[in-house]
Amino acid sequence: MTTRASLHGLWSSQFTFVLAVTGSAVGLGNIWKFPYIAGSNGGGAFVAVYLVCVAVIGLPIMMSEVLIGRRGRRNPVATMLLVGEEEAGQRWWRWVGAIGVVAGMLILSFYSVVAGWSVAYVFKTANGELAGHTDGEITAVFDNLVASWPLLFGWHTLFMLMTIAVVARGVQRGLEQAVRILMPALLILLITLLVYAMRHGEFAAGLTFMFRFDFDALTAESVLVALGHAFFTLSIGMGAVMAYGAYLPEGTSVGTTSLAVVIADTSIALLAGMVIFPIVFAHGMDPAEGKGLLFHSLPIAFGNMTGGAFFGTLFFILLTFAAWTSSIGLIEPAVAWAVETRDVSRAVAAWTIGGIVWLLGLGTVFSFNVLADVNFWHGTFFENIDHLATNVLLPLGGLLISVFAGWVMCRNSTAEELDIGTGYLYRGWRLLARWIAPAGVLFIFMYSSGLLGWLRGLNA
Ligand code: PHE
């Protein structure tokens, strides 16, 4: 057993750790992103690939990240360096931590803009701005919001300030409390909305869209998007879980905690889909319309509901909190790195890193208005940052993390940290971490880049 102590304190219990990682996992990825990308990628088959990726690639990588984090007990860069040296005398693994730190900052730069929409909608629903209007008027509210860069700028700035404020104070205090209350509240509200969707939406059509596995509709690009989303939604591949794992007390079960987080995260995403698609179909909207899907569909439901202003406000408050607990996970690896290696206080680190992310976020702010027509590679600036971080850096980071835990770390160390014996559970994890997860990521990279087709062409 290593005896290294964490430099930032420990979680008060295993349950708190589960809450914190769930708080980081459950966010805009589940409620905003999952429905819109499932909708744009044809529904069912995409959902199937996403679920398979979560189970056979996401879960073992999440376990790997927690165990590496607890072993190293430092920020992801230092942890990968320390454990890599200890296990194999290799120093270059720190670059895996560095990729993660960068990916987290890139993701936060657009995450904050979208979280800003959610904050804006707290006020819009509370003001009654969305009640008593036609569907078209309600969807126009969103379109007008993103068309105005000063508004997006303001909301983005506000959300970044919220994130910096919490991280500057240290993660444990404010956040543990918030997650404890807000996560269950979010779940209850989603179930309330589910009842609404069942009674007033095209529920059967919604379910068919999500669960009819029509693989013909699946493109190579959608497979990569499903893989990237599995990483994004579970917060893995970039060291967030590793950073949180560094604060995990000894003697807690890495396996059970990871499984709990994966189940909670996936259930919330599926629930969000089951709320949104029935509403989309009942109002003749297009499930493939993209980023505005959530902000177009739910306000319509709230507009037609008794007590809609109340429930709507509550919903966007909870969504904001879900985004908040995630944004902290996105910035924590970079901040922990700065505190440990740049010899600055937590507050200075949080403000500096937060400032850089805020600046980068302006690119996303302008992607919806002044720069909306500037398209290259995968689309607007926002779409490129998202694609690069989510579909390239996270899977790459995850691939290297599972290779590290499966091949570089010795059996004794991983068995000791996982603490699930050396029986079939351990062997199962190791099989997934050594073979299935890396092979799965590589296969999808090759498939979606066309390399696989090209190789097949060579054989034909
Ligand atoms: N998992 C978060 C979400 O789904 C996003 C996130 C990614 C948070 C990586 C932290 C680290 O919204």
Side-chain angles (χ1 to χ4, degrees):
M1 193 69 53
T2 52
T3 47
R4 238 185 323 266
S6 153
L7 303 174
H8 309 260
L10 293 178
W11 302 108
S12 37
S13 66
Q14 171 165 333
F15 181 64
T16 327
F17 172 73
V18 173
L19 279 179
V21 180
T22 309
S24 127
V26 175
L28 297 172
N30 308 60
I31 296 168
W32 161 70
K33 202 173 193 196
F34 171 71
Y36 108 66
I37 56 176
S40 311
N41 287 281
F46 173 89
V47 175
V49 177
Y50 152 76
L51 290 175
V52 172
C53 288
V54 163
V56 304
I57 300 179
L59 180 62
I61 294 184
M62 170 150 320
M63 292 169 69
S64 306
E65 265 199 46
V66 181
L67 81 86
I68 299 170
R70 188 168 61 180
R71 190 102 186 151
R73 292 221 181 279
R74 292 290 180 276
N75 72 80
V77 184
T79 287
M80 292 302 289
L81 174 69
L82 266 176
V83 183
E85 268 187 327
E86 228 162 63
E87 298 281 331
Q90 294 167 354
R91 294 176 58 85
W92 71 272
W93 290 97
R94 66 181 185 280
W95 290 105
V96 178
I99 297 179
V101 165
V102 172
M105 290 172 71
L106 290 178
I107 293 177
L108 183 55
S109 79
F110 69 81
Y111 204 86
S112 163
V113 177
V114 178
W117 301 347
S118 179
V119 185
Y121 266 70
V122 170
F123 294 96
K124 290 187 187 297
T125 41
N127 284 341
E129 221 181 287
L130 300 163
H133 291 290
T134 62
D135 291 2
E137 284 163 347
I138 290 177
T139 51
V141 170
F142 177 76
D143 301 337
N144 293 338
L145 171 68
V146 296
S148 151
W149 75 259
L151 285 178
L152 290 195
F153 179 93
W155 295 117
H156 162 59
T157 306
L158 176 64
F159 188 80
M160 277 312 298
L161 289 174
M162 289 163 60
T163 303
I164 295 169
V166 174
V167 179
R169 299 186 63 222
V171 175
Q172 280 91 333
R173 262 174 301 158
L175 217 67
E176 279 195 18
Q177 290 318 94
V179 181
R180 204 184 285 269
I181 303 163
L182 296 166
M183 285 299 140
L186 182 68
L187 186 67
I188 293 170
L189 202 65
L190 272 178
I191 293 173
T192 313
L193 282 169
L194 182 70
V195 174
Y196 173 86
M198 286 165 101
R199 292 180 50 191
H200 302 284
E202 300 267 346
F203 198 65
L207 283 191
T208 311
F209 181 73
M210 275 178 76
F211 296 112
R212 208 196 50 213
F213 300 155
D214 169 13
F215 287 96
D216 292 341
L218 207 62
T219 64
E221 173 81 9
S222 344
V223 176
L224 179 64
V225 175
L227 174 78
H229 187 66
F231 282 90
F232 184 94
T233 189
L234 296 176
S235 304
I236 55 175
M238 46 89 37
V241 174
M242 202 182 283
Y244 282 16
Y247 319 141
L248 184 62
E250 301 293 338
T252 40
S253 165
V254 172
T256 328
T257 44
S258 307
L259 189 64
V261 173
V262 170
I263 291 176
D265 186 77
T266 312
S267 316
I268 294 204
L270 294 178
L271 207 56
M274 288 193 271
V275 168
I276 288 165
F277 290 120
I279 297 172
V280 164
F281 290 121
H283 291 270
M285 304 166 89
D286 175 10
E289 66 156 64
K291 300 162 203 67
L293 192 65
L294 172 78
F295 294 88
H296 283 159
S297 60
L298 283 195
I300 289 183
F302 292 126
N304 289 316
M305 212 189 259
T306 33
F310 173 75
F311 285 121
T313 311
L314 196 60
F315 176 84
F316 286 108
I317 289 176
L318 293 174
L319 182 63
T320 302
F321 272 97
W324 203 2
T325 53
S326 299
S327 65
I328 284 150
L330 285 163
I331 202 174
E332 175 64 16
V335 171
W337 169 81
V339 171
E340 289 173 28
T341 57
R342 297 291 104 167
D343 200 23
V344 290
S345 68
R346 200 165 235 286
V348 171
W351 283 97
T352 315
I353 308 260
I356 299 171
V357 172
W358 172 81
L359 207 61
L360 199 62
L362 298 184
T364 295
V365 164
F366 297 131
S367 291
F368 292 96
N369 32 68
V370 274
L371 298 180
D373 295 329
V374 180
N375 283 282
F376 52 101
W377 195 34
H378 281 272
T380 58
F381 180 84
F382 156 62
E383 281 154 341
N384 285 307
I385 295 270
D386 182 14
H387 181 83
L388 173 69
T390 309
N391 301 338
V392 180
L393 297 182
L394 294 188
L396 183 67
L399 166 75
L400 293 168
I401 285 167
S402 71
V403 167
F404 184 79
W407 295 94
V408 177
M409 288 182 77
C410 70
R411 237 183 116 85
N412 285 344
S413 318
T414 49
E416 195 174 276
E417 290 298 333
L418 282 179
D419 204 15
I420 46 175
T422 48
Y424 70 96
L425 276 179
Y426 177 74
R427 287 204 301 271
W429 166 77
R430 206 160 140 120
L431 175 75
L432 291 172
R434 298 187 93 175
W435 298 102
I436 312 286
V441 174
L442 274 182
F443 173 81
I444 294 178
F445 270 159
M446 286 171 63
Y447 177 66
S448 64
S449 66
L451 204 60
L452 212 62
W454 182 74
L455 286 176
R456 251 206 253 127
L458 285 186
N459 281 333

